[in-house]
Amino acid sequence: MSDDKLILVMSTDTPKGLSGDEDLCEALREHDIEPVLRNWDDPSVDWSEGRFAVLRSTPNYAHHREEFLRWARSVPKLLNSPDILEWNTDKHYLRELAKRGMPIIPTIWLEPDANLTKHQVHTRFPSHGDFVVKPTISSGGRGVGRYTATSAVSRMEAIHHAMDLLSQGSGVMIQRYLSQVETHGEVSVVYFNGVISHTVQKSAMLHAASDEPEPEEIVTARYSSQEEWGWGEEVRRYVHDQIKRTTKHDTQVLYNRIDLVPDGKGSYYVMEIGLVEGNIYLDSAREAVEHFADAIAQRFYW
C-alpha cells in the first residue's frame, strides 16, 4: 500500500470517470494525495494499492449487483462502505424510509415472486395522465420509461417493459409522472461528510413518446432555498439513522446526494438518495470540487 495514494473507482464502461473528475484529481494533489483510477470490474487490480478507495463512476453495477457487492466487500477500505452500498443499490430503501415518515412519490411496487400476469400488471397502472415504470435496481435513470395512461399503445409498451423487468428478477416501481418535474425540474442537494456542499437544479429528462430522443439534461448550480435546505437536512437525518441501524462498520457517509421534486402542495417528495457513485455534479459549481477534495482529505488523514 502507498501512503499517499487514493484509488478513484471507475468501471470498464467509464474508465475516465465523470465530468469534473480531472479537476478532482488536481485538487487532491494539492492535498498531497496521489489519485489513481482503477476499474471495479478489472480482476487484475490490487485494491490495497491505495490508503482507501472512493467510488466515482460505476454505473454498470446495476446489471451485476451481486458481483459488485462481493467486490465491494473484498476492498480493504471503500467509501462509501459496502453495507451502505448494499442498502442503497436497491430502491426498496425508499419504501423502508416511507414507512418511517419520509415523503416519497406515491409508488406501486411489483415483485417478481408475485408471478403477476399481464392483466394484473395492467390493472396496477394509473387510469389517466402519464406514469413512469422503473426497475428497483438501476443507475443514472437507466431502464426507466414514461408512458401515457390513456394511450392503448403506450400502456401496452409499459406492460412489456414491466413484464420484462419482472422476468429478469427485478422489482418494478410504478409512479405517476409529476408535472412539477417539467415546470420546476428536480433539485439535488449534495453533502460531503454530512455537511452541505452545493445544490443544483436539473431539467426534465423523460419523454412520454418512446420515439423522441432524450433531451440533454440542463444542470444549473444555485443556493438552496431555506425549505430545500430544511428538507435536505431532514432526509439526511433519516438516512443517517437508517445507516446506524443497519451498518456494521463505518457509519460516516463521505458523499450523499438527495434528489427532491416539489409535491405540488407546497412541500417536496424525495425522488432518490445517491450513496453509491452517481453524479454529484462536480462540474456544476466551482466550489464543488474543492469541497469534495477537502472531504476526502479529512478522511485520508484521520
Side-chain angles (χ1 to χ4, degrees):
M1 179 182 74
S2 173
D3 287 341
D4 67 343
K5 282 187 179 180
L6 169 78
I7 304 175
L8 297 179
V9 184
M10 311 301 181
S11 72
T12 53
D13 290 350
T14 55
K16 295 183 180 180
L18 301 170
S19 181
D21 280 339
E22 185 174 343
D23 293 334
L24 174 63
C25 289
E26 292 180 7
L28 289 170
R29 293 187 184 102
E30 293 178 1
H31 287 279
D32 295 322
I33 300 171
E34 181 57 35
V36 293
L37 278 57
R38 301 290 183 263
N39 299 330
W40 79 268
D41 46 356
D42 179 354
S44 69
V45 174
D46 176 7
W47 295 102
S48 64
E49 176 184 8
R51 186 174 296 187
F52 61 84
V54 174
L55 288 173
R56 282 304 301 130
S57 181
T58 61
N60 59 353
Y61 80 78
H63 299 295
H64 312 279
R65 180 172 180 261
E66 294 307 315
E67 180 184 351
F68 176 76
L69 293 176
R70 285 194 299 271
W71 162 80
R73 296 192 183 283
S74 74
V75 177
K77 186 172 183 180
L78 178 67
L79 300 178
N80 288 323
S81 74
D83 291 336
I84 292 172
L85 303 185
E86 181 172 6
W87 179 74
N88 194 234
T89 50
D90 186 331
K91 290 182 176 56
H92 283 97
Y93 72 80
L94 289 170
R95 183 166 63 179
E96 296 173 19
L97 292 177
K99 290 178 180 178
R100 303 183 62 230
M102 192 178 77
I104 71 168
I105 298 173
T107 302
I108 297 172
W109 303 83
L110 308 181
E111 305 300 342
D113 56 8
N115 296 316
L116 298 173
T117 65
K118 290 182 179 180
H119 176 72
Q120 289 171 321
V121 169
H122 179 266
T123 60
R124 267 68 171 181
F125 293 159
S127 60
H128 64 279
D130 286 1
F131 62 96
V132 176
V133 174
K134 302 179 179 180
T136 53
I137 299 173
S138 67
S139 173
R142 295 167 180 81
V144 179
R146 175 181 166 189
Y147 303 96
T148 300
T150 54
S151 166
V153 172
S154 188
R155 288 182 77 92
M156 183 57 66
E157 290 174 348
I159 292 171
H160 288 316
H161 184 180
M163 294 297 290
D164 183 54
L165 292 173
L166 292 169
S167 69
Q168 297 174 36
S170 172
V172 175
M173 305 165 66
I174 300 172
Q175 299 174 331
R176 186 175 298 282
Y177 185 77
L178 302 178
S179 60
Q180 302 93 285
V181 173
E182 294 192 353
T183 56
H184 298 284
E186 299 176 33
V187 175
S188 289
V189 185
V190 180
Y191 292 81
F192 298 139
N193 287 339
V195 178
I196 190 169
S197 168
H198 55 286
T199 299
V200 299
Q201 183 94 22
K202 299 181 292 184
S203 64
M205 286 295 291
L206 292 173
H207 283 310
S210 60
D211 58 347
E212 291 187 25
E214 288 294 330
E216 181 180 356
E217 185 177 44
I218 299 173
V219 178
T220 306
R222 61 170 176 75
Y223 290 108
S224 299
S225 68
Q226 188 65 30
E227 188 173 15
E228 290 164 353
W229 180 87
W231 271 111
E233 286 296 307
E234 186 72 18
V235 175
R236 188 185 62 80
R237 285 193 290 269
Y238 273 120
V239 170
H240 186 66
D241 184 53
Q242 176 71 23
I243 290 171
K244 285 196 300 183
R245 294 192 304 111
T246 60
T247 299
K248 301 174 185 176
H249 306 296
D250 186 1
T251 60
Q252 175 64 274
V253 174
L254 173 62
Y255 55 89
N256 180 10
R257 190 198 74 232
I258 298 171
D259 296 339
L260 304 171
V261 63
D263 66 359
K265 304 174 185 177
S267 189
Y268 286 86
Y269 290 128
V270 177
M271 293 195 71
E272 191 167 341
I273 299 170
L275 300 168
V276 188
E277 34 89 28
N279 195 339
I280 51 177
Y281 305 107
L282 294 181
D283 59 342
S284 66
R286 182 174 57 188
E287 67 272 17
V289 169
E290 297 173 0
H291 290 173
F292 196 30
D294 289 346
I296 291 172
Q298 289 172 17
R299 305 295 288 273
F300 196 83
Y301 292 115
W302 276 4

